[in-house]
Amino acid sequence: MDWQSLKIEEADCTHTPCDCCNSTTTEITGYILSETQDLAWYNARWSPAHPETPLIMIVYTGDWSDGGLATARWGSRISVYYQPEPGCSLLDWESAQQETINSFTPLDRNDIRGSPYEPELWACVDAILMKDQRLENFVR
């Protein structure tokens, strides 16, 4: 699977006032589609006023149908930095977050690295970063 073959369908976009600087934090959601199926969905959050803080993205994969089980749904966290050096990193879920999650299985770095799922996840991340028009000002 390569990112170029994936399609992005943009969904919600919200802007929340930032208490520290009077700017806004942007949060977006969207869907990742392959030629044959709905592959994943995602959300991403960042503040244009804080370029030193990474964009945090969560990619959700698995069976998100009404009858889908939490053990068949996964969430992966990724940070995206563009300053001072561009790059992406897999993130672990904080224990406080893990305690409140019951609708999916949170995947940490060690669950993903070296797994058959890793190339699919990075293809999804690349497709989001390259094709979601709302990220144009953040990634370029």
Side-chain angles (χ1 to χ4, degrees):
M1 172 183 307
D2 62 299
W3 69 268
Q4 294 97 333
S5 67
L6 299 176
K7 180 181 174 189
I8 295 297
E9 186 178 291
E10 297 175 4
D12 296 333
C13 180
T14 59
H15 302 282
T16 306
C18 182
D19 292 335
C20 72
C21 66
N22 259 356
S23 185
T24 60
T25 297
T26 302
E27 186 167 357
I28 61 172
T29 60
Y31 301 93
I32 305 165
L33 311 156
S34 73
E35 290 181 14
T36 59
Q37 65 178 339
D38 293 352
L39 191 61
W41 66 280
Y42 63 93
N43 71 8
R45 182 181 173 106
W46 75 97
S47 175
H50 297 283
E52 73 284 359
T53 303
L55 175 148
I56 301 296
M57 177 187 311
I58 303 174
V59 176
Y60 300 95
T61 56
D63 180 5
W64 287 87
S65 66
D66 287 339
L69 301 174
T71 56
R73 299 172 174 172
W74 304 278
S76 306
R77 293 179 70 229
I78 299 97
S79 66
V80 181
Y81 281 95
Y82 278 87
Q83 292 183 10
E85 293 289 324
C88 298
S89 297
L90 295 171
L91 298 174
D92 288 332
W93 292 83
E94 297 169 13
S95 58
Q97 291 172 312
Q98 288 184 356
E99 292 173 11
T100 63
I101 296 171
N102 59 14
S103 61
F104 65 92
T105 302
L107 298 178
D108 285 333
R109 290 177 288 193
N110 289 336
D111 299 321
I112 299 167
R113 282 196 252 173
S115 74
Y117 169 61
E118 185 176 21
E120 180 181 314
L121 174 63
W122 288 121
C124 288
V125 170
D126 288 344
I128 295 164
L129 293 174
M130 298 305 291
K131 295 182 176 185
D132 190 312
Q133 303 265 327
R134 300 166 298 178
L135 295 173
E136 186 174 55
N137 292 329
F138 184 84
V139 299
R140 288 172 184 81

